[in-house]
Amino acid sequence: HRVKNNLQVITSFISLEEKFNNSPGRIVEVTKNRISSLALIHERIYDEDNMNFISLKGFIKDFDDKLVGLSDVKDVNFIEEIDSNLTLPITIMTPIVLIINELTSNTFKHAFDTSDDYKEIFKSIHVCERNNQKMCEFIYKDNGAGLDEEFDINKSPSLGWTIIKSLSNQLDGKYEICPGNGFGFRLTFPYVED
């Protein structure tokens, strides 16, 4: 059932790419990254004691290694601040991983210059309490070029941002661009306990 759903997700992504992108090479490249992201989730499912929940800390490390292997950008320093006990259900992991994939792919494509001495991507995921409700807060930052000051995520016509907004809404999440050097993104969504 999960595999069927994920294959439908991939088919939808390919259809969207065809509408937004007329380069077959680019469509293949981004689709390959998305398939790798979903494949890693399935690998992890079978390593867990509870097949409905995935431990996040080890998964994110493996995921970062896999993304770098698929990219031309090398020597990226990944910093993760993730509670070692934090697990998320597969229904939440899939959109989160696809959001991280889009953000990281955008960073690799737009933020870093080959001459940059130090390239850094920071990710934090933790549980917090907001209005008497347990929430997950996901923060993503890079030390790259950043966005134009006029950029508005809600008005962006790009496919990457369309996907990120759609997946955030799927999580019933609230997202925002964080000010500061480089690029920053924050997403909060309801926490589901195992």
Side-chain angles (χ1 to χ4, degrees):
H1 180 70
R2 289 184 187 122
V3 172
K4 180 182 174 188
N5 285 345
N6 285 338
L7 289 173
Q8 288 173 335
V9 167
I10 291 165
T11 302
S12 298
F13 279 144
I14 292 171
S15 298
L16 282 169
E17 280 292 343
E18 287 175 329
K19 290 178 185 172
F20 278 78
N21 196 332
N22 60 4
S23 166
R26 177 74 183 140
I27 293 171
V28 169
E29 178 188 337
V30 294
T31 301
K32 195 165 53 171
N33 286 356
R34 291 176 184 135
I35 291 171
S36 291
S37 303
L38 293 172
L40 187 57
I41 291 174
H42 285 276
E43 285 174 31
R44 274 305 174 115
I45 287 172
Y46 299 109
D47 289 341
E48 299 290 329
D49 294 333
N50 180 348
M51 290 180 68
N52 293 316
F53 282 78
I54 297 176
S55 175
L56 211 54
K57 191 171 180 76
F59 177 88
I60 293 295
K61 172 74 175 95
D62 290 348
F63 183 69
D64 289 341
D65 292 343
K66 189 158 272 200
L67 279 181
V68 168
L70 293 169
S71 169
D72 294 333
V73 179
K74 304 301 176 198
D75 301 321
V76 177
N77 298 286
F78 289 98
I79 299 170
E80 297 105 5
E81 289 184 5
I82 300 166
D83 181 352
S84 58
N85 298 320
L86 182 58
T87 61
L88 291 176
I90 185 71
T91 53
I92 289 177
M93 277 293 289
T94 301
I96 282 290
V97 165
L98 290 170
I99 288 170
I100 294 172
N101 181 70
E102 293 301 320
L103 292 169
T104 309
S105 297
N106 281 342
T107 293
F108 286 171
K109 185 177 177 188
H110 302 292
F112 294 142
D113 191 284
T114 52
S115 63
D116 290 339
D117 289 335
Y118 184 77
K119 305 180 198 75
E120 179 182 288
I121 294 176
F122 169 86
K123 288 187 285 302
S124 164
I125 303 176
H126 65 274
V127 178
C128 57
E129 187 121 348
R130 299 254 170 93
N131 299 324
N132 296 322
Q133 183 181 6
K134 277 193 173 179
M135 304 290 285
C136 258
E137 181 181 65
F138 164 61
I139 296 172
Y140 177 98
K141 292 182 182 177
D142 68 45
N143 68 333
L147 297 171
D148 293 335
E149 286 184 25
E150 306 84 42
F151 178 81
D152 182 345
I153 188 173
N154 295 308
K155 294 180 181 174
S156 174
S158 79
L159 177 58
W161 286 114
T162 301
I163 289 170
I164 290 168
K165 290 183 286 189
S166 175
L167 292 167
S168 298
N169 291 334
Q170 186 179 324
L171 291 168
D172 198 21
K174 305 244 185 276
Y175 54 84
E176 63 179 324
I177 302 297
C178 304
N181 295 329
F183 166 76
F185 175 84
R186 177 185 289 113
L187 170 67
T188 54
F189 56 92
Y191 175 60
V192 179
E193 298 186 73
D194 57 352

